[in-house]
Amino acid sequence: MKRLLAISAVAGLALVTGCTAGTESPGPAPTSATADDPVTIEFWHGFTADSELKAFEDTLAGFKQKFPWITVKATKAIQDDQILQAVRGGNPPDVALSFTTDSVAQFCKAGIFQDLNPYLTAGKIDPATLFPKVIAEYTQYEGKRCVMPMLADTYGLYYNKKLMKGQQPPKTLSELADLTKKLTVRDADGTIKVAGFVPSSQMYENAPIHTGVMVGATWTNPDGTSAIGSDPAWKSLMKWQKDLTDWFGYDKLEKFRKSFGDEWSADNPFQKGKVAMAIDGEWRNAMIAADAPDLDYGTAPLPVADDQAARYGAGFIAGTVIGIPRGAKHQEAAWELVKYLTTDTDALVTLSNAIRNVPSTLPALRSPDLKKDPNFQTFLDVFANPNSSTLPAHINSVFNQQTLQEAQIAWESGRKTDLDALLADVDKKINEKLKLTAGG
C-alpha cells in the first residue's frame, strides 16, 4: 500500500544525507545463514491494518518453515523517519521496509541501505529478468541497488456504478470533466452533496506524481534539472484542474473535501458514496472488500489528455521497497528474509492476494494462484502497459514533488494567477536545490 512520506522523514533524510554520504561500510562478504547459527532478526515495516498484519504473519510463517533457525521479530507502524533516526543512532533494524520509492536515490547515495548487488551476484539473481523493467529501474540509483521491490502499486480510476447511472468510465480528461458535472449533486445553496470527481491536487491520491501520467508530463531533463516549466503538459493539466475546480467553486470544493474521513479508514468518501469517481491504487480493492462489501463499483485506467488517446491504459507505478540498513547486526540472515519477501513466488502471491498489491516479479504475475477478479485485473493491465511509468530516481525527489504541489495549490486556489511565472519559479527552486545537493 502506498503511503506518503512524512515531512519529518524528509527532514531526517536530509540530516542523514549530510552526515553519512560516502561512509557506507561494505560489510562482510555475502554468505547464507545456517542452522548452525540460530539468530533473531529485527524487521521494521509500516503496515497497520488487521488484514495486512495477518497477511504478514502468514508470510513470515512460511519463511520460518523454510529457515527454522531464523526468528523474525516484526515491528509494525514504522515510518521512514524512524528508520533514518535508527541508522543515525547506530541501532538500526536488520531489515526495514519503506512505502515510498521517492527516496531510493537518497537511500542509495547516502548509504542508508546497503548495496545488495553482491548478494544478488552471489545468489545468481538477475533483476533484469526477474522484475519488470520499471521496477528494476526504481530500486537502484547510479548502479547501486540498495533496496529490492516487495509488491508494487499502480493507479487507476474507481467508479461507483450506482452513482454513474449507466455511464461508462471516461477515457479522456474532457470526458472526465463532462461526467463530473453530470454526476455532481448540490443543495439549493450550492453546497456539494456528491461530487462526480474531486479535481483538487489536495485530494488524497491526486498529487502530481499520480496525475502527471495522465498527460505524459516530464519531471526532469537528462541532467537532472527541472523540466516542469518547459513541458506544456504540466500547464495543460493544471489548467484542466483549475477549470473544473472553478466550476465547483474553490471554497465550496474545499469545504466538501475537508468533510471527508481518513483516507485509510472505512470513512473514505468513495466507499461512503460521496464521490462517484476517484483516483486510487490497487489496494483500495481490499479495503472496499473489508469495509464496504456491498459497494457496487468498477475500476478503469486513468483518463488521458484528449490528444493522447493512444496512451489510454497507462498509469503510474511505484511500490514498497525493502532492504538491509547500514549497521544491521545480522546481515546474512537479513538477506535471507529480504530475498524471500522479494523473490519467492509463493510469498509474493500470498501477500498480493491478501492486501491486493501487484506482485513485483514476473513469475508471481504469471502464477495461477494469483487472484485476478475484474477490478484487480485492471491494475495488472496498467502495470503491464508499456506506457506506464514511474518517477525517475532523483536525489531531491520528495522536494521536487512538494514544490510542484505547493504551486498547484496556489494556482487552483487563485492565490497565483500567472501560471507561466509560477512554473518558472518551480524550476528555479528545484534547480537551486539541485545545485546544493548534487555533490552532497
Side-chain angles (χ1 to χ4, degrees), residues 258-276:
K258 290 178 179 178
S259 72
F260 295 161
D262 183 80
E263 177 181 2
W264 309 107
S265 75
D267 290 328
N268 181 286
F270 179 78
Q271 295 174 192
K272 288 294 186 179
K274 294 181 178 179
V275 177

Side-chain angles (χ1 to χ4, degrees), residues 111-181:
I112 307 303
F113 284 85
Q114 299 180 32
D115 186 4
L116 299 177
N117 279 317
Y119 293 97
L120 293 167
T121 299
K124 298 181 179 180
I125 298 171
D126 182 6
T129 59
L130 181 63
F131 305 121
K133 184 173 185 291
V134 171
I135 286 183
E137 290 175 351
Y138 72 54
T139 49
Q140 64 176 334
Y141 182 69
E142 294 183 344
K144 182 184 291 186
R145 186 176 303 280
C146 66
V147 291
M148 293 277 278
M150 197 208 77
L151 302 180
D153 292 320
T154 61
Y155 291 77
L157 188 75
Y158 284 73
Y159 58 95
N160 183 313
K161 292 183 178 180
K162 180 180 178 181
L163 297 178
M164 293 283 280
K165 300 176 182 177
Q167 299 277 353
Q168 293 301 304
K171 293 185 176 181
T172 67
L173 291 181
S174 290
E175 290 176 0
L176 176 56
D178 291 343
L179 192 53
T180 295
K181 295 173 183 179

Side-chain angles (χ1 to χ4, degrees), residues 155-158 197 205-206 210-211 214 277-281 302:
Y155 291 77
L157 188 75
Y158 284 73
F197 175 79
E205 301 297 332
N206 287 14
H210 304 146
T211 57
M214 297 194 296
M277 298 176 288
I279 295 173
D280 215 333
L302 295 175

Side-chain angles (χ1 to χ4, degrees), residues 4-344:
L4 296 180
L5 183 65
I7 291 176
S8 59
V10 180
L13 183 57
L15 289 173
V16 175
T17 302
C19 297
T20 63
T23 62
E24 179 182 0
S25 169
T31 60
S32 295
T34 68
D36 295 328
D37 187 23
V39 64
T40 296
I41 60 175
E42 294 273 350
F43 173 36
W44 288 6
H45 65 79
F47 290 98
T48 57
D50 290 343
S51 59
E52 297 169 344
L53 297 176
K54 177 63 166 59
F56 257 98
E57 288 176 4
D58 293 344
T59 304
L60 292 177
F63 177 76
K64 184 68 173 177
Q65 288 183 340
K66 193 171 183 178
F67 298 94
W69 57 91
I70 303 176
T71 298
V72 179
K73 181 181 178 182
T75 302
K76 66 179 182 179
I78 296 293
Q79 300 301 315
D80 283 7
D81 57 342
Q82 294 169 279
I83 299 170
L84 296 167
Q85 290 167 10
V87 171
R88 288 186 64 212
N91 190 33
D94 297 290
V95 177
L97 177 149
S98 172
F99 280 127
T100 176
T101 60
D102 298 339
S103 298
V104 168
Q106 288 282 25
F107 285 157
C108 292
K109 183 178 178 66
I112 307 303
F113 284 85
Q114 299 180 32
D115 186 4
L116 299 177
N117 279 317
Y119 293 97
L120 293 167
T121 299
K124 298 181 179 180
I125 298 171
D126 182 6
T129 59
L130 181 63
F131 305 121
K133 184 173 185 291
V134 171
I135 286 183
E137 290 175 351
Y138 72 54
T139 49
Q140 64 176 334
Y141 182 69
E142 294 183 344
K144 182 184 291 186
R145 186 176 303 280
C146 66
V147 291
M148 293 277 278
M150 197 208 77
L151 302 180
D153 292 320
T154 61
Y155 291 77
L157 188 75
Y158 284 73
Y159 58 95
N160 183 313
K161 292 183 178 180
K162 180 180 178 181
L163 297 178
M164 293 283 280
K165 300 176 182 177
Q167 299 277 353
Q168 293 301 304
K171 293 185 176 181
T172 67
L173 291 181
S174 290
E175 290 176 0
L176 176 56
D178 291 343
L179 192 53
T180 295
K181 295 173 183 179
K182 289 179 183 178
L183 302 180
T184 294
V185 179
R186 303 177 191 250
D187 282 343
D189 64 357
T191 299
I192 304 167
K193 302 300 291 182
V194 175
F197 175 79
V198 177
S200 169
S201 65
Q202 301 172 76
M203 173 67 177
Y204 297 150
E205 301 297 332
N206 287 14
I209 189 175
H210 304 146
T211 57
V213 71
M214 297 194 296
V215 294
T218 303
W219 284 85
T220 56
N221 297 308
D223 62 358
T225 56
S226 177
I228 292 169
S230 59
D231 185 350
W234 285 115
K235 190 173 181 179
S236 173
L237 175 65
M238 290 173 67
K239 282 185 173 180
W240 179 87
Q241 286 180 294
K242 181 163 174 54
D243 285 346
L244 196 50
T245 297
D246 289 348
W247 178 84
F248 277 104
Y250 179 78
D251 291 340
K252 286 185 171 60
L253 189 62
E254 275 296 277
K255 181 180 179 181
F256 181 64
R257 184 183 69 82
K258 290 178 179 178
S259 72
F260 295 161
D262 183 80
E263 177 181 2
W264 309 107
S265 75
D267 290 328
N268 181 286
F270 179 78
Q271 295 174 192
K272 288 294 186 179
K274 294 181 178 179
V275 177
M277 298 176 288
I279 295 173
D280 215 333
E282 79 295 328
W283 62 79
R284 183 60 54 189
N285 286 292
M287 294 188 165
I288 291 172
D291 299 328
D294 296 328
L295 182 66
D296 187 13
Y297 75 102
T299 61
L302 295 175
V304 297
D306 290 52
D307 61 352
Q308 298 180 25
R311 294 185 59 258
Y312 181 71
F316 179 77
I317 298 174
T320 303
V321 295
I322 187 171
I324 305 172
R326 185 181 69 249
K329 298 178 180 65
H330 308 290
Q331 296 178 29
E332 293 78 19
W335 168 244
E336 297 292 3
L337 179 60
V338 170
K339 181 173 68 172
Y340 179 78
L341 292 175
T342 60
T343 68
D344 186 278

